Amino acid sequence: QKEVEQNSGPLSVPEGAIASLNCTYSDRGSQSFFWYRQYSGKSPELIMSIYSNGDKEDGRFTAQLNKASQYVSLLIRDSQPSDSATYLCAPLRYSSASKIIFGSGTRLSIRP
Amino acid sequence: DVKVTQSSRYLVKRTGEKVFLECVQDMDHENMFWYRQDPGLGLRLIYFSYDVKMKEKGDIPEGYSVSREKKERFSLILESASTNQTSMYLCASSSSGRAAETQYFGPGTRLLVL
């Protein structure tokens, strides 16, 4: 079992709709969770972080966390063509030297 | 703005060559990381460093070594390049404490080993 599981996609969503990206993780010790966005040919950039169960909203983005189910998701409302990218789920495993474990990402395509 | 730079965007090397990948950050960050990214496998941690001259192995350190002689610079060394090391290499840096959770990435080096 992979430490972080994401559907590779591509996930195709019409412009203006809600895109829903899902992620499950295996390490119950994970305490912080991050979503990175990576445009084709570019490096990842952090767009959301969440630490507690429930929802966290930032503009058009909402991160949802359920630690009991080891599940984290990212919702993008009013999807725009500029949202087309690969989204990486990344739990943080705390240890003597904390390391982020990246999922392989979900490719999102917003169609006009 | 945090800036992380990598010495080359594209590199072509031959099997058996020694390869140096350099990474420099300008934000006085304590932590620096080297990843490789391959299709379907995502980002995998090779090595990281949390202080000058300090290093720790990541998940896939075999065939690689690192050097951090100055705080701002973290080098990845392929002692004897092999074709299975053809990949995109990404360097990242972060501050310490809670801020360590935000990693800033360089533009990447696409390495082809022939």
Side-chain angles (χ1 to χ4, degrees), chain A residues 42-62:
Chain A
K42 302 292 186 182
S43 43
E45 57 176 339
L46 180 68
I47 55 169
M48 285 288 288
S49 57
I50 186 165
Y51 307 98
S52 307
N53 281 328
D55 296 358
K56 179 183 176 184
E57 189 174 315
D58 184 0
R60 295 186 297 111
F61 297 94
T62 299

Side-chain angles (χ1 to χ4, degrees), chain A residues 34 36 38 43 51 92 94, chain B residues 37 48 98 101 103 105-106:
Chain A
F34 308 93
Y36 282 76
Q38 186 173 22
S43 43
Y51 307 98
L92 174 61
Y94 285 102
Chain B
Q37 187 172 31
F48 65 102
R98 198 61 182 271
E101 299 165 350
Q103 295 194 9
F105 285 85

Side-chain angles (χ1 to χ4, degrees), chain A residues 3-75:
Chain A
E3 291 190 72
V4 182
E5 297 264 11
Q6 292 183 258
N7 190 325
S8 60
L11 176 65
S12 181
V13 173
E15 186 174 353
I18 296 175
S20 177
L21 305 165
N22 303 317
C23 170
T24 57
Y25 60 94
S26 61
D27 185 357
R28 286 194 172 274
S30 300
Q31 296 182 5
S32 304
F33 302 85
F34 308 93
W35 284 98
Y36 282 76
R37 177 178 61 199
Q38 186 173 22
Y39 291 114
S40 180
K42 302 292 186 182
S43 43
E45 57 176 339
L46 180 68
I47 55 169
M48 285 288 288
S49 57
I50 186 165
Y51 307 98
S52 307
N53 281 328
D55 296 358
K56 179 183 176 184
E57 189 174 315
D58 184 0
R60 295 186 297 111
F61 297 94
T62 299
Q64 298 175 317
L65 174 61
N66 183 327
K67 290 185 179 179
S69 300
Q70 294 176 253
Y71 175 88
V72 59
S73 66
L74 180 70
L75 301 178

Side-chain angles (χ1 to χ4, degrees), chain A residues 2 32 34 36 38 41-46 51 88 92-94 96-104, chain B residues 9 33 35 37 40-43 45 48 50 56-59 90 98 100-103 105-108:
Chain A
K2 284 185 179 178
S32 304
F34 308 93
Y36 282 76
Q38 186 173 22
K42 302 292 186 182
S43 43
E45 57 176 339
L46 180 68
Y51 307 98
L88 307 174
L92 174 61
R93 179 173 68 203
Y94 285 102
S96 58
S98 301
K99 294 189 291 186
I100 290 178
I101 307 298
F102 287 90
S104 54
Chain B
R9 292 299 306 274
F33 307 83
Y35 295 91
Q37 187 172 31
L41 296 176
L43 278 162
L45 182 64
F48 65 102
Y50 49 90
E56 285 211 18
K57 293 180 180 179
D59 298 316
L90 287 161
R98 198 61 182 271
E101 299 165 350
T102 303
Q103 295 194 9
F105 285 85

Side-chain angles (χ1 to χ4, degrees), chain B residues 53-83:
Chain B
K53 297 192 186 295
M54 304 301 288
K55 61 185 179 184
E56 285 211 18
K57 293 180 180 179
D59 298 316
I60 51 163
E62 297 77 20
Y64 304 94
S65 62
V66 290
S67 172
R68 191 165 181 203
E69 297 296 320
K70 292 185 178 181
K71 190 175 186 179
E72 69 270 18
R73 189 178 298 268
F74 192 34
S75 301
L76 180 69
I77 302 148
L78 286 66
E79 296 290 341
S80 177
S82 62
T83 55

